[in-house]
Amino acid sequence: MDAISDRVFTESSLESSSTTDEPSLLTIILDISPRGWFHIRNSISLQDVAKSLLVFLNGHLSINNSNQVAFIASSSQTSKFLYPHPSIQSTNEAESNSTKSKVSPGMYRQFKNVDEVVLQELNQFIKDTSENAQNGSSKGHSSITGAISMALTYTYRMSILDQSVQTTTASAISTSSAMNNAIKRTDAGSGGTGSTTTSATAAATTSSSIKSRILIVSANDGDDSINYIPLMNCIFTAQKLKVSIDVAKLGFKNSSYLQQASDATNGVYLHLQDPQAIIQVLATAFFIEPNLRPYVILPTNSQVNYKASCFVTKRPVDVGFVCSVCLCIMSQVPDDGKCPACSSDFDKRSVKELTREPQVVTKKKRKLEDASKVNGS
């Protein structure tokens, strides 16, 4: 009985570990727009938030040896990958300069690489952004939608690489199992070959693709700077790729557009009233993997503002016109009577009825049937 119980316990533990030990990709987008960080300068600095995010990345890497991370910085001018760095030469230089390391040499090597590359590239990115702002090349809108597009593109690329690795591993397992079966058939005939084939098939079918999620950290209080149409395209892409978008909103106001992105992708949106406790929030609410979130009670945001933006003026609208073909939202009907998105011709009668000014209807006086009778009475 002890041997049977030990075997059952060992098999169940192996099965549970194989199903839950899945690689995960965490992509962090840090919005460094100077206006938002200037408003919360008395509460927390950008340097403290960057340190907390590095601790969060190291915690994600320590869970599983196969976990991957990415770091993207976004400003009012452009977005850039900080890690993994596009240039392999700079990464090799960061690894070789062990004497000039900014972290302890006794730490995990991957922690060291991530911390050094992110800090070095973030300082350079902030320096370039400030120089461009002084030169007058700063734009009025935010590039956070471009950063989300970059994160989704990298996620799709990593999923393709993961599928190719799984295919190669499954083919190697099937080839080795076929060779073992051939050896067994040569030695002991055709008996006892079903278990090996079944285990190889199970190993090939139980492998799953990499799980991905995106965390946005922003202190920008203005929704007018975010492009609504590209953001909605990113939301639809994230839904297709099954990527959840988490948002850690700093500052004094909520972001309705980021709320929509988080709610549509089953992510977590939190407005941090006290940003000094951001490391505690990252280690609790945002640390849970998406496949475990259905079993955990997470903070929810029931008051989501689903306001839209005009496709023509790019401004938020409460009441507007919607194209019946492509669902384009407009605050006013164009003069040419065509949809600005799909160029469909609008019905002139419908446009005339929708755009006509309100009219005051006067009540008609009641006619007397017999004026003489009234006069006589």
Side-chain angles (χ1 to χ4, degrees):
M1 294 297 294
D2 294 338
I4 295 175
S5 62
D6 293 340
R7 180 175 60 83
V8 172
F9 178 79
T10 304
E11 291 179 355
S12 61
S13 61
L14 290 176
E15 291 176 359
S16 61
S17 62
S18 62
T19 54
T20 57
D21 193 11
E22 298 176 353
S24 177
L25 171 63
L26 173 62
T27 305
I28 292 181
I29 299 176
L30 178 61
D31 188 5
I32 63 169
S33 299
R35 182 178 298 178
W37 292 101
F38 178 78
H39 291 163
I40 61 173
R41 63 188 184 279
N42 296 327
S43 300
I44 196 171
S45 63
L46 180 60
Q47 183 179 5
D48 296 335
V49 174
K51 292 180 180 179
S52 301
L53 291 177
L54 289 178
V55 175
F56 180 60
L57 288 178
N58 294 338
H60 177 74
L61 292 174
S62 62
I63 293 179
N64 190 350
N65 191 25
S66 301
N67 285 353
Q68 302 291 331
V69 294
F71 200 104
I72 302 175
S74 174
S75 66
S76 59
Q77 304 169 12
T78 182
S79 299
K80 180 182 178 182
F81 261 102
L82 303 185
Y83 185 88
H85 196 270
S87 177
I88 303 177
Q89 182 178 0
S90 62
T91 305
N92 294 333
E93 291 176 358
E95 294 178 356
S96 61
N97 296 333
S98 59
T99 57
K100 299 180 180 180
S101 177
K102 299 179 183 179
V103 293
S104 176
M107 68 186 303
Y108 183 47
R109 182 177 181 182
Q110 195 170 4
F111 295 168
K112 173 178 173 293
N113 296 337
V114 172
D115 294 348
E116 286 188 350
V117 174
V118 169
L119 291 177
Q120 180 181 357
E121 294 300 324
L122 181 60
N123 293 329
Q124 185 64 31
F125 184 74
I126 295 175
K127 182 179 178 181
D128 297 339
T129 302
S130 60
E131 291 179 355
N132 295 332
Q134 293 177 0
N135 296 332
S137 60
S138 178
K139 300 179 182 179
H141 60 83
S142 175
S143 62
I144 194 170
T145 54
I148 299 176
S149 300
M150 295 170 62
L152 293 174
T153 304
Y154 183 75
T155 299
Y156 181 70
R157 178 185 177 185
M158 293 300 295
S159 63
I160 293 178
L161 292 176
D162 185 66
Q163 291 176 1
S164 63
V165 171
Q166 291 178 4
T167 304
T168 305
T169 305
S171 61
I173 292 175
S174 61
T175 303
S176 60
S177 62
M179 293 176 63
N180 293 332
N181 292 336
I183 294 174
K184 288 184 179 180
R185 289 176 182 177
T186 304
D187 295 340
S190 59
T193 61
S195 60
T196 307
T197 305
T198 304
S199 61
T201 305
T205 55
T206 55
S207 61
S208 58
S209 60
I210 187 171
K211 307 298 181 181
S212 304
R213 56 193 173 109
I214 298 174
L215 174 61
I216 301 175
V217 180
S218 175
N220 191 8
D221 291 334
D223 278 341
D224 297 338
S225 60
I226 300 178
N227 293 328
Y228 179 74
I229 302 174
L231 181 61
M232 293 303 299
N233 293 333
C234 293
I235 292 175
F236 297 148
T237 306
Q239 291 176 347
K240 185 68 175 179
L241 297 177
K242 297 181 180 180
V243 177
S244 61
I245 299 177
D246 301 334
V247 178
K249 180 63 180 65
L250 308 179
F252 303 100
K253 298 180 181 179
N254 283 312
S255 176
S256 60
Y257 292 162
L258 294 182
Q259 281 182 344
Q260 296 179 31
S262 178
D263 183 71
T265 57
N266 296 326
V268 177
Y269 178 92
L270 286 180
H271 183 205
L272 304 183
Q273 301 292 340
D274 185 10
Q276 294 181 356
I278 187 174
I279 186 62
Q280 286 83 359
V281 178
L282 293 174
T284 53
F286 297 109
F287 199 72
I288 303 173
E289 296 292 337
N291 56 347
L292 299 178
R293 291 180 180 180
Y295 308 100
V296 180
I297 300 177
L298 294 175
T300 58
N301 185 18
S302 58
Q303 299 178 355
V304 181
N305 189 359
Y306 290 98
K307 70 176 182 180
S309 177
C310 177
F311 281 40
V312 181
T313 61
K314 312 298 182 183
R315 297 178 180 178
V317 294
D318 295 329
V319 179
F321 307 93
V322 180
C323 176
S324 60
V325 178
C326 65
L327 302 180
C328 173
I329 302 173
M330 298 162 287
S331 59
Q332 58 185 3
V333 179
D335 297 334
D336 56 356
K338 294 184 179 181
C339 177
C342 63
S343 300
S344 299
D345 294 330
F346 295 144
D347 188 11
K348 296 181 179 180
R349 295 181 179 178
S350 301
V351 172
K352 186 177 181 180
E353 293 179 358
L354 293 173
T355 57
R356 66 179 181 180
E357 297 180 357
Q359 299 177 359
V360 179
V361 180
T362 58
K363 295 183 179 181
K364 296 181 179 180
K365 295 182 179 180
R366 185 176 180 181
K367 295 182 180 180
L368 297 178
E369 296 180 355
D370 193 0
S372 59
K373 292 182 179 181
V374 176
N375 294 330
S377 62

